[in-house]
Amino acid sequence: METRWSPGAIMRTMLPILLVLTCIELASGFVLDTFEGTLLRYPSLLVLVPVTIGMAGNLGSVLAARLSTVVHLGLLSFEPDDEYLLGNAVATLALAVTLFPLVGGGAWLAQLLVGGTALGIGTVVLVAFASGAVLALLAIVVTLVTTYAAYRFGLDPDDVVIPVVTNVCDVLGVVVLFAVVRLVI
């Protein structure tokens, strides 16, 4: 009999999930395509795209790894007042609101060095900060829901949560960035 830790069992669990996630990733490309004109008009935003997407996935992945560890240790209760949930969620949000303004400033500076900017530093930092704060909140929700679902369905969160979180955050990163751009610019 095949155990749930065997390569076959992991393949049966992950293949359908990865196929769905591949389709979700295609959505990110379609969203990017619809905002091509805006990106070409404001190159500082173009610099923000990969960094924003990557940072959102990284924040979600770190949170997912920490929650997965707590699940394996049997310490996570999934209650609203759980110290592991709250502490890690607050840390994720604090990282986002600290790092994303720096990312915005760096994107603006990089664009300034290679050819001037069409947007002021304040605007780029505001877009990065607002996008980062919203993405952190969404990454927290996606991570908590995915971790809970893995737990409830008896799946190993190490196998499931990080791929789901990073792929969903990629799409959310693009959508949130351009929603904020529409509101700010």
Side-chain angles (χ1 to χ4, degrees), residues 97-170:
V97 299
T98 303
L99 291 175
F100 274 97
L102 297 174
V103 165
W108 183 85
L109 183 60
Q111 183 57 41
L112 178 67
L113 294 174
V114 297
T117 61
L119 295 172
I121 188 169
T123 303
V124 177
V125 169
L126 176 63
V127 167
F129 173 76
S131 298
V134 171
L135 279 170
L137 291 172
L138 292 172
I140 290 166
V141 170
V142 169
T143 303
L144 292 176
V145 168
T146 308
T147 303
Y148 183 73
Y151 171 77
R152 293 292 293 164
F153 290 111
L155 301 172
D156 184 354
D158 289 327
D159 291 340
V160 177
V161 179
I162 290 177
V164 170
V165 169
T166 55
N167 281 274
V168 170
C169 285
D170 283 354

Side-chain angles (χ1 to χ4, degrees), residues 65-85:
R66 294 179 64 80
L67 293 181
S68 178
T69 300
V70 178
V71 166
H72 285 302
L73 292 173
L75 301 173
L76 193 60
S77 68
F78 293 103
E79 296 295 326
D81 62 343
D82 185 295
E83 68 183 75
Y84 297 108
L85 286 177

Side-chain angles (χ1 to χ4, degrees), residues 28 32 39 42-58 100 103 107 135 166 169-170 173-174 177-178:
S28 180
L32 269 175
L39 291 173
Y42 304 113
S44 298
L45 301 177
L46 184 60
V47 175
L48 276 180
V49 171
V51 179
T52 301
I53 292 170
M55 191 70 69
N58 290 342
F100 274 97
V103 165
L135 279 170
T166 55
C169 285
D170 283 354
V174 172
L177 177 64
F178 290 110

